[in-house]
Structure formats: structure tokens, C-alpha cells
């Protein structure tokens, strides 16, 4: 007899199709109906204050590894009552409702109890939501407390973000009660950080004195341990003599006075404090700079990434749209955009300079290269810029090289490379310029390397690389 439930072979058109439910709202509504009506509930959860919450083992087990471990344990499997220790009843109720509804309201009043509860119940999603909520609440008056909460609950991301906030807003933070109530370890951790951002080191000294005086009886004895991390050598001779040296706490502390004398000698140039302790700048205000490039067309824009704020910002635009150029920085504040090619024009000799200390900073033309260059290599030795090789407007590779003398502000030719090469890379090591790899005239990749010595104005070959390379990049670093 023919099976009438089977589709005839001639009518088959498509393979089997999987249907996926587009929303779980209906399921959540069903869960909530079961919970509110206490239908099929098979477990009661009792908190320390003897309050009871009823639920379903299978639903709790699906959402929480903690509950799954309890309900699969032989000793607990057949029990219908489980004690949940060290969890606030309201927080537990909110979390059970979250399991059944997928929603939870986090407030300043319940967030700490929720974090304690999710630590136990292992509800990672709610923990992340609590951390996001606390991060959104950061301000100078609560950031130290939030940092302590993050540390207590092992919330790494929140701990890092809140600490960064404290370091960036230290001048405002020290005016609040949280700072005055901070532990010695917390204060020392902050003032010893190289990432601490303050308008001047005077703020750090004054914050230490204020913190100690807030509980003078118990804190005066640890003042020397804090003063060890105050970088007095970054202040002025006048400030140290008129403010620091005349402070009563400093005058009564022999060890503190030693730091004062040490800083005064350093400012006079009579003594050099170990760079890793009290003379090192708080933070190097360095950024990653990106200039030009191709979007839908050539771009003149400049962006920089600030690692302290973890954000990109726009800076002054280039004067012209060009590419195939090179970028170098000297003196930590002068950016040079060297050579390149502008569409419709020949490779040019232009050099643009940006002084980031100007207010506002802007690009300006400076002394031109002596030779038109695109695809050139550049390196910096003792603040002098070396421009090497590249190609001209006929795409002929160049062996020539030149140097920009920062003192005279002029370019001058130096001896040419021994090998004609293109698409090579340049590195600087021990005040020597290395030209590495590239293509030869037959477009074969090279493994040769040559080195330029500015003191002799000579190029000399060094050991060949093990592999041929072109279009590579190289940088020197400490092993």
C-alpha cells in the first residue's frame, strides 16, 4: 500500500528547511506565567533572612552553572529546598526574574548586592551589565569606591577603566571624601603611577599633605613612605622653599627633609636622582599619528590615537593631497612629511612640518628636498633626517641620498647607496642607517643590506638576510 504521507518524487523541489524562532519573547512570557502561578515549581530557594522564592530546577539549571551544579549533585538532587547563603533576598529575586524574563533593572541602590549575588550564581551577563552601569556612573566623587567594588568582585575591565578615570581626573578626585578615606595602599598606588595626570607636581604634594592631616594621629608616621613617591624635582625651587620646606609636617620629619634637599640639589644640577624614582616625568604625552592615505580618494586628514583616553582625534589637515610619502618625528614634537606624489603632478621635493606644541598646530612648508622622491626611505639620526632612494617622475629608481641638518635647517647630498634598489625598508641602530632588501632592476627581491655611517659618509655592505625581501618593514629594539 502506498504511503500517502510521503511527497511524490516528482514534486520534490527543495531540501529540508530549518525553521528558527525569531523571538523568544513568547517563551519568556510562558516562563513568567509558570513562575507567577507557581505551576510545576519544584524548588524553593531560602535566603539568610528565611524568605522563600519558588522556581523550576530545569530553568535555573539552564541559566546558571551554580544551580546546575547543585541540582545535579546526588545529595541535593531530590531536595525541594535549597539554602542560598550570603545573597540578599531582593537581589536574588531580581536575578530569578531575569532568568525568567531576560530583563533586569540595575540601580545605584541594588548594584552592589547584585554583583555579590552574580559572583555566586555565575550569571556573567548580569555581571557585565552591572559593570557597564557602574562605568557609566563614574565621577570624581565615586570613582575610588567603584574601583574598590571592581577589585572586590574581580571585574577587570571596570577596575582598569575606573583607575584610568582616577588618574585622569586626580585634581578633582582629591577634593572628595572618598580620597580622604582611602587607604595608604590606595594613595601610594595612585601617586606612584607614571600615568597620573596633574597640572603640576604641586598637586600631588598637596594631596598627600591633605590626606595625612585628615587623620593625623594614625597617618603622620607613614608620611615619609608617601613623600618617597612625590616627584619634588618636577616642581620649582621657589615652590619647594616657600611651600614644601615650610610645611610643619615636613619640618618635623627627617626623612621628608632629605627628599626636599635632594630635590633642591637636583634642580640646581648638583645631584641626579635615579631616573626611575623622583625625577621621572609623570607620563609621556605620546600618541600614534596617522597622516594621509587613500579613502575613496586621497586623504589630507590627520588622526591621532591617545592611549590615555583610548580615543582617536582629528588633527590639522595636510596642505596637499599626496601619497607615497614618508613620515618622521624629531625632538618629540616636530613631524616631517617628506616627499611623495600628487595625482596629476610629478613626484615633488616638498617637505611639510607640523609643530605639535603650537597653538593651534598647523602644517607649514619647510626646506625642499634637493631631489624629487616618491617611495623613498627615511630615518632619523641625532635629529637629522635622512632621505634615501625612491623614484623620480619616470619611475626610475634612485641611488642618491640626502640629509636634513636640523641645526642649519638645510638639505645636503650625501654619498649614494652602493646598490640600486626600490621598495626597500630603512632602520636606524647605534647611529647608523641601514637599508634593507627591496627590488633590484630586474624586479628580483634582494636579501642584501647596506649601512651608512654619517661620521665617514660611507655605505658599507653588511651580512645578507637569510631570505629575500621587498616591501618589508624594520625597526630596532632591545633584545
Amino acid at each position: 500500500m502506498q504511503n500517502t504521507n510521503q511527497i511524490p518524487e516528482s514534486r520534490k523541489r527543495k531540501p529540508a528547511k530549518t525553521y528558527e524562532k525569531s523571538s523568544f519573547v513568547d517563551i519568556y512570557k510562558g516562563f513568567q506565567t509558570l513562575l507567577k502561578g507557581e505551576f510545576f515549581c519544584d524548588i524553593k530557594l531560602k535566603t539568610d533572612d528565611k524568605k522563600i522564592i519558588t522556581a523550576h530546577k530545569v530553568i535555573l539549571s539552564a541559566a546558571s552553572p551554580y544551580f546546575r551544579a547543585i541540582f545535579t549533585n546526588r545529595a541535593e538532587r531530590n531536595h525541594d529546598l535549597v539554602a542560598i547563603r550570603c545573597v540578599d533576598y531582593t537581589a536574588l529575586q531580581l536575578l530569578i526574574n531575569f532568568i525568567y524574563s531576560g530583563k533586569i533593572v540595575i540601580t545605584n541602590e541594588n548594584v552592589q548586592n547584585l554583583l555579590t549575588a552574580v559572583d555566586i550564581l555565575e550569571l556573567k551577563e548580569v555581571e557585565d551589565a552591572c559593570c557597564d552601569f557602574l562605568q557609566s556612573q563614574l565621577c570624581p566623587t565615586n570613582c575610588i569606591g567603584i574601583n574598590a567594588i571592581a577589585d572586590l568582585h574581580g571585574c577587570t575591565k571596570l577596575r582598569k577603566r575606573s583607575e584610568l578615570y582616577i588618574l585622569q581626573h586626580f585634581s578633582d578626585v582629591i577634593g572628595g571624601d572618598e580620597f580622604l578615606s582611602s587607604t595608604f595602599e590606595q594613595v601610594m598606588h595612585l601617586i606612584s603611577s607614571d600615568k597620573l595626570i596633574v597640572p603640576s607636581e604641586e598637586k600631588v604634594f598637596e594631596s598627600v599633605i591633605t590626606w595625612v592631616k585628615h587623620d593625623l594621629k594614625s597617618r603622620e608616621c607613614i608620611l615619609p613612605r608617601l613623600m618617597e613617591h612625590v616627584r619634588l624635582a618636577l616642581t620649582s625651587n621657589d615652590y619647594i622653599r616657600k611651600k614644601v620646606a615650610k610645611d610643619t609636617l615636613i619640618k618635623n620629619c627627617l626623612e621628608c627633609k632629605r627628599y626636599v634637599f635632594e630635590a633642591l640639589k637636583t634642580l640646581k644640577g648638583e645631584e641626579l636622582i635615579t631616573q626611575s624614582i623622583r625625577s621621572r616625568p609623570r607620563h609621556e604625552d605620546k600618541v600614534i599619528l596617522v597622516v594621509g592615505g587613500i579613502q575613496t580618494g586621497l586623504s589630507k586628514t590627520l588622526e591621532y590615537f591617545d592611549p590615555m583616553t583610548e580615543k582617536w582625534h582629528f588633527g590639522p589637515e595636510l596642505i596637499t593631497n599626496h601619497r607615497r610619502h614618508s613620515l618622521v618625528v624629531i625632538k618629540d614634537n616636530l613631524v616631517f612629511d617628506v616627499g611623495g606624489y600628487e595625482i596629476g603632478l610629478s613626484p615633488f621635493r616638498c617637505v611639510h612640518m607640523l609643530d605639535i606644541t603650537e597653538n593651534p598646530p598647523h602644517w607649514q612648508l619647510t626646506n625642499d628636498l634637493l631631489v624629487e622622491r616618491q617611495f623613498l626611505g627615511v630615518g632619523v639620526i641625532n635629529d637629522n633626517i635622512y632621505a634615501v632612494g625612491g623614484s623620480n617622475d619616470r619611475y626610475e629608481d634612485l641611488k642618491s641620498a640626502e640629509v636634513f641638518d636640523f641645526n642649519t635647517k638645510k638639505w645636503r647630498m650625501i654619498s649614494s647607496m652602493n646598490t640600486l634598489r626600490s621598495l626597500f625598508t630603512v632602520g636606524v641602530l647605534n647611529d647608523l642607517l641601514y637599508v634593507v632588501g627591496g627590488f633590484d632592476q630586474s624586479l628580483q627581491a634582494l636579501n642584501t643590506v647596506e649601512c651608512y655611517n654619517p661620521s665617514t659618509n660611507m655605505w658599507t655592505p653588511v651580512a645578507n638576510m637569510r631570505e629575500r625581501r621587498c616591501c618589508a618593514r624594520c625597526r630596532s629594539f632591545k633584545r
Side-chain angles (χ1 to χ4, degrees), residues 48-82:
D48 290 337
D49 55 3
K50 311 300 182 184
K51 293 182 179 179
I52 300 293
I53 297 174
T54 57
H56 304 82
K57 289 182 180 179
V58 66
I59 295 177
L60 299 186
S61 298
S64 163
Y66 172 82
F67 284 125
R68 187 158 57 250
I70 288 179
F71 300 144
T72 55
N73 182 283
R74 285 182 178 273
E76 302 284 351
R77 183 181 299 172
N78 297 319
H79 290 186
D80 60 0
L81 178 67
V82 173

Side-chain angles (χ1 to χ4, degrees), residues 91 192 207:
S192 63
S207 71

Side-chain angles (χ1 to χ4, degrees), residues 144-164:
I144 293 178
I146 289 177
N147 181 256
I149 292 171
D151 191 49
L152 176 65
H153 295 286
C155 303
T156 304
K157 181 180 176 182
L158 178 61
R159 179 178 55 78
K160 289 181 178 179
R161 290 295 176 88
S162 56
E163 182 174 320
L164 181 62

Side-chain angles (χ1 to χ4, degrees), residues 23 138 143 152 157 161 168 213 218 228 240 255 271 277 343 382 425 447 457-458 477:
S23 171
L138 282 170
C143 53
L152 176 65
K157 181 180 176 182
R161 290 295 176 88
Q168 291 177 338
K213 288 182 176 179
S218 63
E228 182 182 355
I240 293 174
E255 187 71 9
E271 182 173 337
I277 306 177
I343 291 179
N382 296 325
T425 185
N447 64 349
N457 190 31
M458 291 181 60
F477 69 98

Side-chain angles (χ1 to χ4, degrees), residues 139-141 143 165-166 168-177 179 197-199 203:
C139 70
T141 59
C143 53
Y165 183 94
I166 297 168
Q168 291 177 338
H169 299 84
F170 187 75
S171 297
D172 297 320
V173 171
I174 58 179
D177 292 337
F179 177 76
I197 297 178
V198 285
K203 275 285 184 185

Side-chain angles (χ1 to χ4, degrees), residues 321-390:
N321 281 325
H322 57 277
R323 56 179 175 171
R324 304 170 186 170
H325 51 117
S326 292
L327 203 70
V328 291
V329 178
I330 64 174
K331 299 290 186 183
D332 281 336
N333 67 293
L334 299 176
V335 183
F336 286 81
D337 182 73
V338 184
Y341 163 84
E342 189 172 3
I343 291 179
L345 301 174
S346 300
F348 50 56
R349 298 187 291 120
C350 293
V351 179
H352 301 87
M353 185 187 76
L354 174 70
D355 184 348
I356 60 175
T357 62
E358 290 183 340
N359 189 20
H362 63 280
W363 290 96
Q364 54 187 305
L365 286 169
T366 184
N367 299 58
D368 286 352
L369 290 162
L370 301 177
V371 177
E372 296 174 346
R373 300 178 190 273
Q374 60 179 334
F375 299 118
L376 69 160
V378 294
V380 176
I381 300 175
N382 296 325
D383 292 328
N384 294 326
I385 303 171
Y386 291 80
V388 183

Side-chain angles (χ1 to χ4, degrees), residues 170-240:
F170 187 75
S171 297
D172 297 320
V173 171
I174 58 179
D177 292 337
E178 281 195 346
F179 177 76
L180 295 177
S181 301
S182 297
T183 65
F184 162 74
E185 289 77 15
Q186 287 174 315
V187 175
M188 187 172 70
H189 178 71
L190 291 174
I191 67 171
S192 63
S193 173
D194 287 340
K195 296 180 180 179
L196 185 67
I197 297 178
V198 285
S200 64
E201 193 67 17
E202 286 91 328
K203 275 285 184 185
V204 182
F205 169 73
E206 290 161 13
S207 71
V208 167
I209 296 300
T210 301
W211 182 84
V212 170
K213 288 182 176 179
H214 184 70
D215 186 2
L216 188 60
K217 187 175 180 180
S218 63
R219 294 176 178 177
E220 186 174 9
C221 61
I222 54 178
L223 175 62
R225 295 172 63 188
L226 292 175
M227 285 300 298
E228 182 182 355
H229 299 282
V230 178
R231 306 178 188 189
L232 289 176
L234 302 182
T235 65
S236 66
N237 191 303
D238 189 59
Y239 180 82
I240 293 174

